[in-house]
Amino acid sequence: MTAHDQIKEPSFRQSVDMMFNRAVALMDLSPGLEQKIRVCNATYTVRFGVRLRGDIHTFTGYRSVHSEHMEPVKGGIRYSLAVNQDEVEALAALMTYKCALVEAPFGGSKGGLCIDPREWDEHEMELITRRFAYELIKRDLINPAQNVPAPDMGTGEREMAWIADQFKRMNTTDINGTACVTGKPPNAGGIAGRVEATGRGVQYALQEFFRYPEDVKAANLSGKLDGKRIIVQGLGNVGYHAAKFLSEEDGAKITGIIERDGALHNENGLDVDAVHSWIVKHGGITGYPDASHHTDGGALLEAECDILIPAALEGVINLSNAERIKAPLIIEAANGPVTAGADDILRNKGCVIIPDMYANAGGVTVSYFEWVKNLSHIRFGRMQRRAEESRHQLIVDELERISNDSTIKWTLSAGFKDKYLRGAGELELVRSGLDDTMRAAYQAMREVWHSREDVDDLRTAAYLVSIRKVADSYRAKGL
Ligand code: NAD
């Protein structure tokens, strides 16, 4: 990036505000309500010490609450050295719009801790996480009724289990304590399908996009997902699951994978599981066979492909490279990967961007299911599954009886009985609820995209749908 570009590039939070402003200018909200929705309500900064390796180490953490038009507020906790107040506030704002868009009944929040998790061992990470959680819990910034975190970059099931346990130690009589955080492991109150949820949501979002030939044509593409060439940046939780499902189930080819230490490229398609295992074992993609290597990973963002999936961090497509991006379709699996300036450039080039607030909403959607499961204290499907199977069995038995009694013999096709008789378990129900959510939210966005002359992109459409819902909610409260 040149010094000139750096001056023009706004911060992440400013970038989100600029996108919000572009949409809100097309609405008829009062200036006061507009401002109320835009601003971040509060950001708490905490510095706390933990005795480690014979000395006291001080860490800085944040929890930002963007909007409390619905409570609890919701949003992940990120562990990264790049965490700062501007970033958590931008991410908290995106959570408000995301929850409204997919009708998850939460306000927006986000948290972060300035830390490189790779520098500390598991026991040290537990001490640090529990102490951070303690600081947030005692101020009700983690609470099943007020503020419910989830995993984000650098955190996962392990951290969520520690946080839930910490909350329960401090609130021993709260029967709903497990619902204080989502993304927990299944054996600690989690839900089937949460780990894969955000990547699965990216897959469902693309499947829905490709159901509309008109939308596919707007991106200068044709046909289905089958055979499409995809480049993914970041093979972490979100990127790995999205790439895995799209290649294994939809016939897409992952032709490029960009990671911290460079990029891999293979026009015949990369084996996502093999690359993922290599990264887990070796700490990066360096040395991986069966692909050409690029030391400058970012350069592969500019390579020829059909779909680009930035799934690592914000600001990677910016004023310095937007003009050279060739992908006709970008799906923002990460939060904020395209800056406001880059968004302008790409739109003018005719690139279609499926925006972050929709594309990565699978995580919060399944987190919502987990929260409901925790509050109802029963796993989804537990009451219905066998009853559903018995009713299906009745039909199959009856069909077979009719066939036996009839002179014309017919048989059920192979595999039908197995599939039809199996009642839906928690994982099937979660995937079904997620698929339905992703389809409905896409349809709400595309309706605005195609019906309004003044809306020419999905991001503005997404903002219009979600701001309208947040505004209605504030109005209903009498604000
Ligand atoms: P993660 O920590 O599991 O994975 C991030 C991956 O990106 C890692 O593989 C890391 O090595 C790679 N990476 C980091 N810096 C990079 C760089 N400069 N270039 C290339 N690769 C780089 O994180 P995640 O949970 O998958 O989150 C990724 C993005 O998705 C973030 O923007 C996050 O806010 C967003 N998101 C995550 C969830 C979720 O459920 N985890 C939900 C919604 C949105």
Side-chain angles (χ1 to χ4, degrees), residues 78 98 151-154 194 198 233-238 258-260 311-313 333-335 360:
R78 176 175 288 198
K98 189 180 307 186
D152 192 72
M153 215 165 125
R194 174 59 184 91
T198 311
Q233 183 189 41
L235 210 65
N237 176 304
V238 179
I258 307 167
E259 259 294 330
R260 293 174 201 265
L313 62 168
N335 282 306
N360 66 37

Side-chain angles (χ1 to χ4, degrees), residues 204-432:
Y204 289 160
L206 279 174
Q207 287 177 350
E208 182 64 2
F209 179 86
F210 277 89
R211 285 192 189 103
Y212 301 97
E214 198 187 341
D215 300 6
V216 177
K217 196 161 166 245
N220 253 320
L221 291 168
S222 60
K224 300 278 166 207
L225 263 170
D226 189 29
K228 293 285 179 292
R229 297 163 309 150
I230 300 182
I231 294 180
V232 184
Q233 183 189 41
L235 210 65
N237 176 304
V238 179
Y240 164 65
H241 287 103
K244 177 181 167 68
F245 300 145
L246 287 163
S247 57
E248 287 178 1
E249 298 171 15
D250 298 291
K253 274 196 292 186
I254 307 301
T255 54
I257 291 176
I258 307 167
E259 259 294 330
R260 293 174 201 265
D261 58 335
L264 300 174
H265 189 224
N266 185 340
E267 274 303 303
N268 298 321
L270 292 153
D271 179 337
V272 176
D273 269 323
V275 178
H276 188 249
S277 306
W278 185 273
I279 295 174
V280 170
K281 194 163 170 207
H282 302 276
I285 49 146
T286 307
Y288 178 79
D290 305 329
S292 59
H293 285 249
H294 301 253
T295 42
D296 175 12
L300 203 68
L301 288 169
E302 300 163 20
E304 292 271 359
C305 65
D306 299 311
I307 306 170
L308 181 59
I309 310 185
L313 62 168
E314 62 265 18
V316 292
I317 300 174
N318 48 50
L319 293 174
S320 75
N321 62 359
E323 206 63 71
R324 293 192 302 276
I325 300 287
K326 295 187 194 70
L329 177 63
I330 298 176
I331 176 159
E332 296 182 324
N335 282 306
V338 177
T339 64
D343 190 67
D344 282 341
I345 295 172
L346 290 165
R347 258 185 297 115
N348 288 335
K349 281 178 26 154
C351 172
V352 171
I353 301 176
I354 304 180
D356 47 8
M357 81 169 77
Y358 166 69
N360 66 37
V364 76
T365 301
V366 177
S367 275
Y368 168 39
F369 302 155
E370 180 177 333
W371 181 73
V372 171
K373 172 187 177 179
N374 293 155
L375 295 180
S376 58
H377 298 267
I378 189 163
R379 138 173 80 76
F380 288 107
R382 181 162 173 182
M383 303 293 277
Q384 307 91 329
R385 184 174 188 167
R386 301 300 166 194
E388 193 189 328
E389 287 180 1
S390 308
R391 291 172 71 85
H392 287 181
Q393 185 74 54
L394 279 179
I395 295 181
V396 169
D397 290 349
E398 196 60 9
L399 286 174
E400 288 180 337
R401 188 191 60 75
I402 295 168
S403 164
N404 286 339
D405 291 352
S406 133
T407 46
I408 309 159
K409 294 292 164 212
W410 46 270
T411 49
L412 299 171
S413 54
F416 168 82
K417 251 169 86 169
D418 267 1
K419 277 195 212 148
Y420 187 66
L421 287 177
R422 201 173 47 235
E426 187 172 74
L427 184 60
E428 287 86 2
L429 292 169
V430 162
R431 287 181 179 159
S432 151

